[in-house]
Amino acid sequence: MKRLLITGAGGGIGREARGALAPLAETLRLSDVVDLGEAGANEEIVTADIGDAAAVEALMEGVDGVVHLGGVSVEDAIDPILHANVRGVYNLYEAARMHGRRPRIIFASSNHAIGFHPVTERLDADSVPIADSLYGASKVWGEQIALIYWHKFGIESLRIRIGSVFPEPKDRRMLSTWMSYRDFFSLIRRAFMVPALGCPVVYGASDNSAGWWDNSKTGFLGWRPQDSADRWRAEKEDGAPPGDGEDPAVKYQGGGFAKAGIMRTPRTGGG
């Protein structure tokens, strides 16, 4: 493709994407609200707030593909989530429609869109979203926006419910949710290579034997993870007991996000 846009290019995954996805396009357009440094060869840097519709419309001009990593990536108060993850996703898809190019979009959803499913359940692409947080709910919204723009306007998207993309798993839970950078970027490359994509859901995880997610319904992508958290199993389990099965952080797939409380203090008293 001629131009690939990566939003959230200053984040942890975005910084890795800058090099890993460069071969996909003649030009990488990198965007974030933070300083991205100097543009490299075949790079464009555009500072843009995805919550700003006019800025996003300009950002999307001439774009053939999008890896949308931008937005709030943790639980937060409602206002920043609404600005970046709700309005920002709408702005992105609406700008794609307005420009008429129908770029293929990789939408970074999250395991927190399904985080209130128990760890005893095995989920697939048709499993009902049960968000574990405001952040998770915003990702369910984004998944639905992607579907609307696919069914109404033919804009294809891959909705990746990302687990935990880090150099290695950090804790016992990540033995189930971990995804290597190599597997993540190979999935994105496949999504841009297949002749017809549609708007499927894929769970972003490596080949972990303790995994909770089944990607068999998206086998048409031809993607198979190459890495596994299993190499760290003994290290992460040693001295770390499974925990109380009734603790929400242990019981539900969202871990600590499922356990975290509501941010606002309830009102007390009658009236």
Side-chain angles (χ1 to χ4, degrees):
M1 73 183 84
K2 289 188 177 295
R3 181 173 281 103
L4 174 66
L5 168 64
I6 302 175
T7 68
I13 300 176
R15 291 191 298 271
E16 296 291 330
R18 190 168 178 172
L21 300 181
L24 287 180
E26 294 176 15
T27 302
L28 281 187
R29 178 173 290 171
L30 307 170
S31 183
D32 209 317
V33 293
V34 301
D35 183 11
L36 296 177
E38 296 294 323
N42 304 317
E43 290 183 345
E44 301 170 342
I45 291 179
V46 181
T47 301
D49 177 355
I50 60 172
D52 180 336
V56 175
E57 186 172 346
L59 181 66
M60 289 289 289
E61 187 171 358
V63 166
D64 303 300
V66 180
V67 178
H68 182 50
L69 304 172
V72 175
S73 60
V74 294
E75 182 65 326
D76 206 335
I78 189 63
D79 286 345
I81 288 175
L82 287 174
H83 180 78
N85 294 14
V86 175
R87 183 160 293 280
V89 170
Y90 168 76
N91 289 342
L92 184 85
Y93 277 90
E94 182 61 6
R97 182 188 74 82
M98 290 291 291
H99 284 298
R101 296 176 68 90
R102 294 196 296 184
R104 192 169 282 188
I105 298 175
I106 310 301
F107 173 62
S109 185
S110 170
N111 69 93
H112 297 294
I114 47 83
F116 261 131
H117 281 280
V119 298
T120 52
E121 290 185 17
R122 182 115 174 128
L123 307 183
D124 64 17
D126 295 329
S127 296
V128 175
I130 310 178
D132 59 21
S133 53
L134 298 176
Y135 165 72
S138 75
K139 292 301 185 178
V140 176
W141 156 268
E143 290 185 9
Q144 291 299 307
I145 289 293
L147 270 178
I148 290 170
Y149 278 78
W150 159 238
H151 287 302
K152 289 193 172 185
F153 309 114
I155 296 173
E156 295 183 303
S157 294
L158 181 66
R159 299 173 290 160
I160 308 178
R161 289 178 180 163
I162 298 172
S164 308
V165 180
F166 293 101
E168 64 180 65
K170 294 183 175 182
D171 54 29
R172 190 184 189 104
R173 175 178 174 271
M174 288 191 190
L175 293 173
S176 300
T177 64
W178 181 71
M179 188 180 204
S180 68
Y181 288 119
R182 177 169 69 162
D183 286 340
F184 181 70
F185 293 124
S186 70
L187 173 57
I188 290 175
R189 286 191 288 270
R190 286 303 307 167
F192 282 119
M193 290 173 64
V194 292
L197 179 63
C199 193
V201 165
V202 173
Y203 291 91
S206 289
D207 187 21
N208 310 321
S209 61
W212 302 319
W213 307 319
D214 176 3
N215 281 325
S216 60
K217 291 182 177 177
T218 49
F220 73 92
L221 290 170
W223 173 74
R224 290 183 181 275
Q226 300 300 305
D227 297 313
S228 174
D230 293 359
R231 60 178 290 197
W232 290 280
R233 175 174 291 279
E235 174 187 335
K236 300 304 176 184
E237 288 184 343
D238 184 30
D244 179 1
E246 292 305 309
D247 181 346
V250 176
K251 183 177 182 178
Y252 297 108
Q253 295 187 13
F257 277 60
K259 186 173 183 176
I262 301 300
M263 292 189 170
R264 300 178 69 181
T265 303
R267 294 180 179 179
T268 59

